[in-house]
């Protein structure tokens, strides 16, 4: 009789998460439910930094699993001491380095050695990450999960603003292997972590970083002849013969000294020794057997087979290893976990195939899993070593495994790349089933990059298969994911699509969950994003009106006048007194956000913007001073005649005395024209006043031109005083500077009278 005392665990795994301002309940049955987070829920639940023991345990859990059987031989690091010391020295100074080398040059082994040298440099230790098919955002969340421990109440995924603030405080040496991106994306990753020293391992075909990244570049080349021979002897387990040493020299020239090629060559020679030993220990042939008594030795591989050894190695491994290679080729190079190989291959000892493939160099470590080594998948595909139906078999196996209640979301996330590859190679029915069971596990494990890819692949497969209910589920999950990421337009589109499909199916429970999420989207749209107040230009308040109370102090910026070229003279030297231009009121918030609210990588652009505003203010002040100084020019420049043949009179006192003017003669400086506001007619005067200066006077305009203004009046001339007339044509004024007036002349000479300038009256 079964025991009914313990609760029965159902297939549905409901997980509660905290995502920024939301609480997310991952429900595999009806779809995830999202609600606003209460203000008191986050009190005292901030992320806490892990200690060294916790980080070491997490790093050990993130390593690839050790294959069953005897431990493999550890290959040494040869001819890399100089690069190792230089990398440790640069990282110790806080510099970020980009290590570039071809696939198979030993970048991963070098990173392991550098991790040992830099273990005690940074306060947060050494963090190992894998950049294979990862975006900068996913790498930032991975870095956050390594340094910060989750909350005891429920796992938390911070919003992007909070994430940038938290990772900006991390001080660690980050070793990133298999970098896939460069340019602006890499610059964004480096700027978000200013306190981290990065060691980025990439291949030469990876996009280059931008010039503003300030990365040190180190190129990793091939090994020398002696190092290649030593590595081959360690891989084979015995000294090389003279013929094998010559073959190793030719192989080094063909492979450019790549370490991976000599590990694979060691597998070829080791398997050749095993085949020759089997032939030597075999029984002698019978009378009727068609084989010679002296069995021929297996020859050395050719140079072409040594440069591309995948096909020859695959033919010399066990049958279980060949079956595992077929699954890896079908899953885009991803090798399933050794625990899955017995169920996939159908052999109880198939898990030992991983150790066999690792020993011959066909597999390599990639994060917490194994992948086919560089070039192996291409070489096997060219040789016809294809897969038939392995992807569909893997998809059905993973659909059963990910939906099992005993499998934790973390185990599903560790197998994420193989699950995604199986999803891409399955038919629509298996793809819908696999996506339906794997999506909640990826959501609960906070691997949301894989969650989004699974949801999109599942929605497309459900649409192709005609599964309306499953299609509604995938669209609902995509809407919830977009809402958590702040993409309100995408969230509304996905949720409305899901509600429409569920309404057609009369799915009441699913429709209620969709409407609740859609109502939350509407509330967020009504609230609007929390942005800083914009820069607003307001008209000045009327004179006498009381200025309203402002939240921020006002800064007055004087406008810079822009005049056309034709009116430049009139604007610079005004005829009438014009009012000063009204200042423009600019609302500028004088308060700055605190350092905790603004990420450190974002402070430099803000400082540059503030410097630009100050530069504009200084430029406006300088232009205003220039205009005001131009308005106080010397009077002799204002009275200059436009006639180029005449020049202004010189009052230095060195010219000869002119002939006395007749009493009835009127000059341009003695009698202003009639109608001028500066010289009104006396009541007793008779006869019409002259309308302008005499035609022959010095102040008369040139023919065809008119004066733009009236000249400045001069003091009256007295006998013995300098002449006010112009010099004779052809003569030039003296070049000596004007002499200062003597005390006697200053006492007898009356002060000059200033005449107000006004435009000439129109002639009737």
């Amino acid at each position: 009789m079964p025991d009914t005392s313990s609760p029965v665990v159902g297939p549905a795994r409901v997980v509660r998460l905290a995502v920024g301002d939301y609480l997310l309940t991952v429900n595999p049955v009806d779809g995830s439910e999202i609600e606003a987070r209460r203000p008191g829920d986050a009190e005292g639940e901030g992320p806490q930094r892990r200690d060294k023991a916790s980080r070491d345990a997490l790093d050990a859990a993130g390593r690839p699993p050790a294959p069953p059987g005897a431990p493999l031989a550890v290959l040494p690091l040869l001819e890399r001491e100089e690069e190792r010391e230089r990398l440790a020295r640069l990282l110790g100074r806080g510099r970020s380095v980009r290590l570039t080398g071809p696939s198979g040059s030993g970048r991963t082994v070098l990173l392991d050695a550098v991790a040992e040298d830099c273990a005690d440099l940074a306060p947060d230790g050494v963090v190992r990450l894998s950049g294979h098919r990862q975006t900068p955002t996913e790498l930032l969340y991975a870095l956050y999960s390594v340094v910060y421990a989750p909350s005891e109440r429920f796992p938390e995924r911070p919003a992007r603003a909070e994430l940038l603030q938290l990772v900006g405080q991390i001080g660690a040496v980050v070793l990133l292997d298999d970098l896939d991106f460069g340019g602006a994306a890499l610059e964004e990753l480096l700027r978000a972590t200013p306190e981290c020293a990065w060691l980025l391992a990439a291949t030469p075909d990876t996009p280059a970083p931008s010039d503003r990244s300030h990365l040190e570049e180190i190129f990793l080349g091939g090994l020398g002849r002696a190092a290649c021979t030593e590595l081959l002897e360690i891989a084979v387990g015995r000294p090389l013969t003279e013929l094998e040493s010559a073959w190793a020299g030719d192989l080094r020239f063909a492979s450019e000294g790549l370490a991976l090629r000599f590990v694979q060559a060691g597998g070829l020679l080791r398997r050749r020794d095993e085949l020759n030993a089997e032939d030597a220990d075999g029984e002698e042939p019978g009378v009727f057997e068609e084989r010679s008594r002296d069995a021929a030795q297996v020859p050395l591989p050719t140079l072409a087979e040594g440069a591309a050894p995948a096909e020859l190695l695959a033919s010399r491994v066990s049958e279980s290893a060949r079956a595992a290679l077929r699954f890896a080729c079908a899953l885009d190079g991803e090798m399933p976990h050794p625990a899955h190989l017995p169920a996939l291959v159908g052999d109880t000892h198939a898990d030992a195939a991983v150790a066999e493939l690792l020993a011959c160099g066909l597999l390599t470590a990639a994060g917490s899993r194994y992948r086919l080594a560089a070039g192996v998948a291409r070489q096997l595909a060219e040789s016809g070593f294809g897969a038939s139906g392995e992807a569909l078999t893997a998809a059905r196996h993973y659909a059963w495994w990910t939906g099992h209640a005993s499998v934790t979301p973390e185990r599903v996330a560790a197998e994420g790349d193989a699950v995604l590859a199986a999803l891409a190679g399955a038919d629509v029915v298996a793809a819908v089933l696999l996506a339906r069971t794997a999506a909640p596990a990826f959501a609960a494990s906070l691997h949301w990059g894989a969650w989004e890819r699974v949801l999109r692949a599942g929605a497309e497969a459900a649409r192709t298969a005609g599964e309306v209910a499953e299609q509604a589920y995938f669209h609902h999950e995509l809407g919830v994911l977009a809402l958590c990421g702040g993409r309100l337009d995408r969230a509304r589109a996905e949720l409305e699509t899901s509600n429409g499909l569920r309404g057609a199916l009369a799915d009441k429970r699913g429709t209620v969950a969709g409407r609740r999420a859609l109502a939350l989207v509407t509330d967020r749209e009504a609230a609007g994003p929390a942005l800083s107040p914009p820069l607003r230009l307001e008209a000045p308040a009327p004179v006498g009106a009381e200025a309203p109370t402002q939240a921020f102090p006002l800064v007055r910026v004087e406008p810079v006048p822009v005049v056309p070229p034709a009116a430049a003279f009139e604007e610079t030297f005004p005829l009438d007194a014009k009012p000063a231009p009204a200042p423009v009121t600019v609302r500028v918030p004088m308060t700055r956000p605190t350092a905790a609210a603004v990420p450190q990588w974002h402070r430099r652009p803000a400082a540059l913007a503030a410097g630009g505003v100050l530069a504009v203010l200084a430029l406006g002040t300088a232009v205003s001073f220039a205009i005001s100084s131009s308005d106080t020019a010397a009077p002799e420049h204002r009275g200059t005649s436009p006639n180029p043949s005449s020049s202004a009179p010189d009052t230095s006192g060195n010219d000869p005395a002119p002939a006395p003017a007749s009493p009835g003669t009127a000059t341009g400086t003695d009698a202003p024209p009639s109608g001028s506001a500066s010289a009104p007619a006396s009541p007793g005067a008779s006869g019409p006043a002259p309308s302008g200066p005499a035609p022959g006077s010095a102040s008369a305009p040139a023919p065809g031109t008119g004066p733009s203004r009236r000249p400045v009046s001069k003091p009256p001339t007295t006998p013995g005083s300098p002449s006010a007339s112009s010099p004779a044509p052809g003569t030039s004024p003296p070049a000596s500077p004007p002499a200062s007036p003597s005390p006697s002349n200053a006492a007898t000479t009356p002060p000059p009278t200033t005449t107000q300038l006004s435009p000439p009256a129109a002639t009737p």
Side-chain angles (χ1 to χ4, degrees):
M1 183 175 181
D3 185 14
T4 58
S5 59
S6 59
V8 179
V9 180
R13 295 168 297 182
V14 179
V15 180
R16 194 173 179 84
L17 306 173
V19 185
D21 297 334
Y22 306 103
L23 287 178
L24 178 63
T25 303
V26 180
N27 186 359
V29 179
D30 301 319
S32 300
E33 300 176 3
I34 185 171
E35 58 181 340
R37 195 172 183 179
R38 297 182 180 88
D41 291 344
E43 294 182 358
E45 296 182 1
Q48 302 295 328
R49 290 179 181 265
R50 300 179 185 267
D51 54 2
K52 189 177 185 302
S54 178
R55 291 196 304 266
D56 293 342
L58 190 64
D59 181 71
R63 297 293 182 90
L72 301 177
V74 179
L75 299 178
L77 185 65
L78 302 176
E79 289 189 357
R80 302 299 187 195
E81 293 300 328
E82 181 180 354
E83 291 85 355
R84 179 178 180 178
E85 294 177 359
R86 184 181 177 187
L87 288 174
R89 184 172 62 253
L90 291 174
L91 293 174
R93 296 175 182 175
R95 302 294 299 273
S96 295
V97 189
R98 187 174 186 261
L99 180 64
T100 306
S103 299
S105 58
R107 293 178 287 113
T108 304
V109 180
L110 181 58
L111 259 62
D112 294 337
V114 173
E116 298 177 359
D117 299 338
C118 303
D120 300 328
L121 289 180
D124 291 322
V126 177
V127 178
R128 297 290 303 268
L129 298 177
S130 177
H132 181 63
R133 297 175 180 175
Q134 298 290 315
T135 62
T137 302
E138 294 174 357
L139 288 176
L140 289 178
Y141 276 107
L143 178 62
Y144 162 80
S145 63
V146 171
V147 178
Y148 292 96
S151 174
E152 297 180 358
R153 187 175 180 183
F154 36 70
E156 183 172 0
R157 179 183 173 92
R160 181 169 179 81
E162 184 180 0
L163 172 69
L164 294 177
Q165 182 182 359
L166 291 174
V167 299
Q169 302 172 0
I170 296 177
V173 176
V174 186
L175 308 182
L176 180 61
D177 200 1
D178 297 329
L179 179 67
D180 282 347
F181 53 85
L186 181 57
E187 183 182 357
E188 175 189 357
L189 179 66
L190 297 177
R191 292 181 64 184
T193 55
E195 303 298 330
C196 293
W198 289 80
L199 177 54
L200 310 168
T203 56
D205 55 349
T206 304
S210 61
D211 296 336
R212 295 175 295 182
S213 299
H214 304 291
L215 287 175
E216 295 285 344
E217 288 282 350
I218 296 180
F219 185 80
L220 200 63
L223 300 177
R225 182 185 180 91
C228 292
T229 304
E230 182 180 357
L231 183 61
L232 185 58
E233 289 179 349
I234 296 175
V236 177
R238 59 173 178 82
L240 300 180
T241 63
E242 184 178 355
L243 183 60
E244 292 173 344
S245 298
W247 178 76
D250 296 339
L251 180 61
R252 177 193 172 275
F253 180 79
S255 62
E256 299 180 354
L258 293 180
L260 178 63
R261 293 292 177 263
F262 287 89
V263 175
Q264 295 171 346
L268 289 176
L269 295 182
R270 189 171 57 253
R271 186 56 182 165
R272 170 175 173 267
D273 294 343
E274 294 175 358
L275 294 177
N276 291 333
E278 291 177 0
D279 293 340
D281 296 340
E283 297 180 357
E284 293 187 0
V287 179
F288 301 101
E289 293 185 11
E290 297 181 358
R291 63 187 181 96
S292 60
R293 293 180 178 271
D294 298 331
Q297 296 291 320
V298 178
L300 277 174
T302 63
L303 190 59
E305 292 174 343
E311 180 183 1
L312 185 58
L313 284 172
S315 63
R316 292 181 177 181
V317 296
S318 62
E319 184 62 32
S320 298
R322 283 196 293 270
L325 279 178
R326 293 190 184 94
F327 276 100
C329 293
L331 299 179
D332 196 17
E334 299 291 339
M335 176 60 68
H337 194 276
H340 296 282
L341 290 179
L344 292 173
V345 176
D347 185 4
T348 56
H349 301 286
D351 53 349
V354 175
E356 185 178 357
L357 295 176
L358 279 173
C360 60
L362 292 178
L363 289 183
T364 183
S368 60
R369 59 197 183 279
Y370 294 107
R371 283 182 50 84
L372 291 180
V376 173
R378 177 182 54 82
Q379 297 173 20
L380 293 178
E382 293 176 353
S383 63
F385 190 85
S388 57
E390 277 78 6
L392 179 59
T393 303
R396 293 174 179 174
H397 168 77
Y398 282 128
W400 164 81
W401 179 71
T402 55
H404 201 275
S406 63
V407 180
T408 61
E410 289 73 19
R411 292 179 60 188
V412 178
E415 200 73 7
D417 289 341
V419 172
L420 291 173
L423 183 64
D427 56 7
V428 292
V429 178
V432 170
L433 182 60
L434 177 57
R436 191 69 168 79
T437 57
F442 285 128
S445 62
L446 297 179
H447 285 67
W448 284 12
W451 185 28
E452 184 175 4
R453 290 192 286 269
V454 165
L455 291 177
R456 295 195 180 280
E460 181 64 23
R463 185 190 63 82
T464 305
E467 297 287 344
V468 180
E470 305 300 335
Q471 188 179 358
Y473 168 81
F474 291 127
H475 283 292
H476 174 84
E477 296 294 292
L478 286 172
V480 171
L481 177 60
L483 178 57
C484 293
R487 298 171 293 174
L488 300 181
D489 295 340
R490 169 63 64 181
R492 175 173 290 278
E494 297 289 352
L495 290 173
E496 288 179 350
T497 303
S498 175
N499 290 344
L501 294 174
R502 284 176 169 175
L505 296 173
D507 185 2
K508 295 182 180 180
R509 296 181 60 181
T511 304
V512 169
R515 287 179 179 177
R516 287 177 179 176
L518 194 58
L520 191 56
V521 172
T522 304
D523 293 343
R524 294 298 178 181
E525 289 177 344
L531 300 177
S532 59
L535 185 66
R536 294 180 294 177
L537 301 179
E538 297 180 353
V543 179
E546 183 179 357
T549 304
Q550 303 293 338
F552 300 98
L554 301 180
V555 178
R556 296 185 178 272
V557 181
E558 297 294 335
V560 179
V562 180
V563 295
F569 184 82
E570 294 292 340
E571 291 291 338
T572 308
F573 307 102
L575 299 177
D576 299 329
K578 295 184 179 180
V584 179
T585 302
V586 181
R587 184 183 302 276
V588 179
M590 303 302 292
T591 59
R592 297 180 58 187
T594 60
V598 180
Q600 185 175 357
W601 62 272
H602 194 61
R603 295 174 192 169
R604 185 175 297 174
L608 294 178
V613 173
L614 294 178
V616 172
L617 294 178
L619 180 60
T621 306
V623 173
S624 301
F625 284 159
I627 294 176
S628 61
S629 62
S630 300
D631 291 339
T632 60
E636 56 269 13
H637 294 287
R638 297 190 178 184
T640 304
S641 171
N643 190 359
S645 64
S646 63
S647 60
D650 189 273
T651 58
S652 61
N654 298 326
D655 294 342
S662 60
T665 304
T667 62
T669 60
D670 297 335
S674 62
S676 174
S678 62
S682 61
S686 63
S691 60
S697 62
S699 61
T705 62
S708 61
R709 53 174 289 104
R710 293 290 299 166
V712 181
S713 62
K714 301 294 181 179
T717 58
T718 59
S721 62
S723 174
S725 61
S726 302
T731 63
S732 60
S736 61
S740 59
S742 62
S744 61
N745 293 340
T748 59
T749 304
T753 59
T754 304
T755 305
Q756 183 179 0
L757 302 178
S758 62
T763 303

